[in-house]
Amino acid sequence: MGGAPGAGKSTLCAELAAQIAQKLDGLGYWLDAEQNRNLVQELFPRTGSSSRHIRLVSRRSGSGSKVGWRDALQAVPPNAAVIVVDSLQRWARSYVEQTTLLETVAMMRPTVLVVSHFNKAGQFAGPMGNEYDVDATAIVRPKNIEVTKCRWSLCPRTIERPMAS
């Protein structure tokens, strides 16, 4: 999931994660390296979603030290319904680490939604290969979502975003 800052990437992931967790009657895990617990909780009501089935895995440990993505993923049980990694560039700074993170989550059982930043050219930040390592890519824009890659359906295609009330 990519897009410009403030486009609604995290909000869309919150809605999708809540729906997946609820439909699978399981728990979702939000690996947050971007915001704090309160800001993450505020994402769900924007779309009428519930955070009841979502557990936050913070970048900070109980002692206040930073936790890496490997440690954060270890906090996620194998029977998780969905995982949100927010964001790829904050959890894994180098291109090698980003690729390793994507390869690791690709081997996991649950659906994984990864938020990615855009570069100044308006494209996914990081190596082009990252886009090839995932099953689908979507660009979140203010009025629509452009699906640029999807292993399960024809692309590209654009989906209009419903206006939030």
Side-chain angles (χ1 to χ4, degrees):
M1 196 79 59
K9 301 177 296 290
S10 296
T11 303
L12 180 59
C13 282
E15 180 178 15
L16 292 171
Q19 287 178 11
I20 291 168
Q22 182 179 5
K23 286 186 190 273
L24 295 177
D25 195 27
L27 292 176
Y29 291 82
W30 191 284
L31 278 61
D32 181 53
E34 293 257 296
Q35 308 175 61
N36 64 43
R37 181 175 299 278
N38 293 335
L39 291 175
V40 172
Q41 291 296 326
E42 291 173 7
L43 297 171
F44 295 88
R46 292 180 190 169
T47 60
S49 302
S50 170
S51 62
R52 184 169 44 109
H53 294 280
I54 305 296
R55 302 295 177 261
L56 183 66
V57 178
S58 179
R59 179 140 184 137
R60 297 275 176 199
S61 69
S63 65
S65 62
K66 274 193 175 181
V67 173
W69 64 265
R70 288 173 179 85
D71 294 326
L73 281 175
Q74 285 184 355
V76 177
N79 65 344
V82 63
I83 301 169
V84 177
V85 177
D86 193 0
S87 77
L88 176 63
Q89 288 80 10
R90 292 286 171 95
W91 280 106
R93 298 250 182 217
S94 75
Y95 295 159
V96 171
E97 277 297 295
Q98 290 171 19
T99 300
T100 304
L101 189 157
L102 290 173
E103 288 172 349
T104 301
V105 298
M107 302 301 289
M108 297 178 78
R109 183 179 161 265
T111 296
V112 181
L113 305 170
V114 179
V115 176
S116 178
H117 294 284
F118 266 20
N119 59 26
K120 290 179 182 176
Q123 299 169 327
F124 286 98
M128 187 77 130
N130 284 351
E131 290 182 60
Y132 297 111
D133 291 338
V134 298
D135 292 324
T137 57
I139 300 171
V140 179
R141 302 189 193 285
K143 294 184 179 180
N144 60 48
I145 300 165
E146 182 182 350
V147 180
T148 56
K149 173 189 174 185
C150 182
R151 294 192 194 277
W152 311 286
S153 66
L154 295 175
C155 288
R157 68 178 191 277
T158 302
I159 303 160
E160 297 301 315
R161 290 178 74 176
M163 298 308 291
S165 53

